Amino acid sequence: RVAPAPALAPDVVLISHLHLDHLHLPSLARVVGRGDRPTRLLVPRGAAPVVRRLGSAVDVVEVQPGDHVDVGSSVTVSVTPARHSCRRGPHSRVVADPVGYVVRGRGQSAYFAGDTDLFPEMRELGPIDLALLPIWGWGPTLGEGHLDPARAAQAVALIDPAVVVPIHWGTYSPVRAGRGAPDWIDAPLAKFESALTEIGLVDRLHALPPGASLERSRPSRGWVR
């Protein structure tokens, strides 16, 4: 729906599951191996055969819930459960149980849920400063193993983050006869805001349009666009 972001040179890339809208090798190839060493790539256990096609550009680490990986002198990535499909698709025999990640460092924490539905261990993730929560899928309907806006609001209540940024909505605009994006593509955000309002947590919401970003400034200033 928006132009690709400029190529980055990340220290580590966190892959939550095998689906093509989350693990797309041509997209990964744009950001890995751009520094003076291979990019560390954390993937669910079983996913290594897919990402090793990127060759020497990546240092692949397979993970599972409960693992903790140090990715620098002051940053630790903890692997969490997720409730979602374990398959890559009908074209592949590769399977890997999906995961999420909590990144902690310099007194701050961020939870990336990947794709998931509600799971009891969400209560145990905190304290969390920033939660990146999916609120929809990529089409007009939502299959199993996803948070819809109402269940995503329940997840906010379970996790109790200081800030929640909804993700996995409004990103993929399907090819269609008419011009512009379909009417349903932005609806999940409004429904999520309404669901948060109903449970008194709308003050946690920090909505970003597709293509926008959020950066961490000095500790005393909090999260800023």
Side-chain angles (χ1 to χ4, degrees):
R1 191 178 181 188
V2 299
L8 307 173
D11 298 307
V12 61
V13 176
L14 311 178
I15 301 295
S16 59
H17 62 291
L18 292 170
H19 287 167
L20 284 166
D21 58 332
H22 288 254
L23 176 48
H24 181 244
L25 291 182
S27 297
L28 261 182
R30 297 183 69 246
V31 299
V32 299
R34 301 182 62 85
D36 57 0
R37 65 185 66 184
T39 303
R40 184 176 293 188
L41 198 62
L42 271 57
V43 302
R45 189 171 65 176
V50 177
V51 296
R52 285 199 174 118
R53 300 174 198 170
L54 295 170
S56 61
V58 293
D59 171 21
V60 180
V61 180
E62 289 194 323
V63 296
Q64 60 185 345
D67 287 350
H68 303 278
V69 181
D70 292 330
V71 296
S73 59
S74 59
V75 178
T76 299
V77 177
S78 300
V79 187
T80 74
R83 290 186 59 186
H84 195 61
S85 169
C86 65
R87 303 189 65 84
R88 182 152 174 81
H91 59 285
S92 173
R93 296 182 179 180
V94 179
V95 296
D97 288 333
V99 298
Y101 298 96
V102 173
V103 182
R104 300 186 188 277
R106 299 179 182 177
Q108 297 292 325
S109 59
Y111 169 50
F112 167 52
D115 268 359
T116 188
D117 205 340
L118 294 169
F119 57 91
E121 294 90 341
M122 281 184 173
R123 294 183 182 275
E124 304 168 9
L125 297 179
I128 296 293
D129 296 296
L130 171 67
L132 307 173
L133 284 184
I135 63 170
W136 197 248
W138 56 266
T141 60
L142 194 62
E144 294 182 2
H146 292 89
L147 292 171
D148 63 13
R151 290 199 299 277
Q154 294 178 45
V156 174
L158 290 171
I159 300 166
D160 194 28
V163 175
V164 58
V165 173
I167 61 173
H168 215 279
W169 66 274
T171 308
Y172 288 109
S173 183
V175 175
R176 57 199 297 266
R179 290 188 175 184
D183 294 338
W184 52 262
I185 199 167
D186 291 327
L189 178 59
K191 293 179 179 178
F192 182 54
E193 183 174 4
S194 176
L196 287 175
T197 299
E198 289 183 6
I199 60 175
L201 295 176
V202 72
D203 60 316
R204 314 288 181 91
L205 177 63
H206 192 126
L208 296 174
S213 63
L214 189 68
E215 294 184 3
R216 176 64 177 157
S217 67
R218 292 190 296 272
S220 61
R221 296 179 58 189
W223 294 92
V224 298
R225 285 189 181 180

